[in-house]
């Protein structure tokens, strides 16, 4: 099996706004195009776009943003593992 993936987007999306219209929380959304290729059959086992997110405060600094991105990456990795085991 060959696993490959490409990060196609990273975006900050507001999800919670207070009465003064200030953003209280954002999602840091990561999208990855991933594929698992079966080298024995010369065909993809699965191929799809996977999107996950971590939540940050409206006033998040770099450390909080990085942590949210790591959470999203961990979720994407778990999805890839589950999809590969399920399709195998």
């Amino acid at each position: 099996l060959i696993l490959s993936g490409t990060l196609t987007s990273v975006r900050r999306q507001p999800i919670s706004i207070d009465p003064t219209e200030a953003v209280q929380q954002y999602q840091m959304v990561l999208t990855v195009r991933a594929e698992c290729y079966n080298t024995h059959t010369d065909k993809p086992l699965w191929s799809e776009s996977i999107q996950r997110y971590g939540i940050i405060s409206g006033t998040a600094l770099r450390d909080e943003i990085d942590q949210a991105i790591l959470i999203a990456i961990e979720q994407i990795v778990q999805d890839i593992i589950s999809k590969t085991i399920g399709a195998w």
Side-chain angles (χ1 to χ4, degrees):
L1 298 178
I2 297 173
L3 288 172
S4 63
T6 303
L7 180 63
T8 58
S9 74
V10 177
R11 69 181 191 283
R12 187 176 69 166
Q13 179 173 310
I15 59 169
S16 176
I17 299 172
D18 70 14
T20 66
E21 297 187 13
V23 176
Q24 295 297 303
Q25 288 184 316
Y26 290 96
Q27 288 179 337
M28 291 301 299
V29 183
L30 276 66
T31 305
V32 171
R33 181 77 190 146
E35 178 179 82
C36 181
Y37 190 81
N38 186 332
T39 56
H40 294 291
T41 64
D42 287 328
K43 295 180 182 176
L45 193 57
W46 61 266
S47 179
E48 68 182 73
S49 186
I50 302 169
Q51 183 173 289
R52 295 292 176 253
Y53 65 88
I55 296 175
I56 61 172
S57 68
T59 58
L61 299 176
R62 183 86 250 158
D63 286 345
E64 186 180 352
I65 293 168
D66 289 348
Q67 185 61 35
I69 289 171
L70 284 174
I71 288 168
I73 290 169
E74 289 172 5
Q75 293 170 352
I76 290 168
V77 168
Q78 287 302 313
D79 285 352
I80 289 170
I81 291 168
S82 295
K83 288 176 189 309
T84 302
I85 291 171
W88 199 4

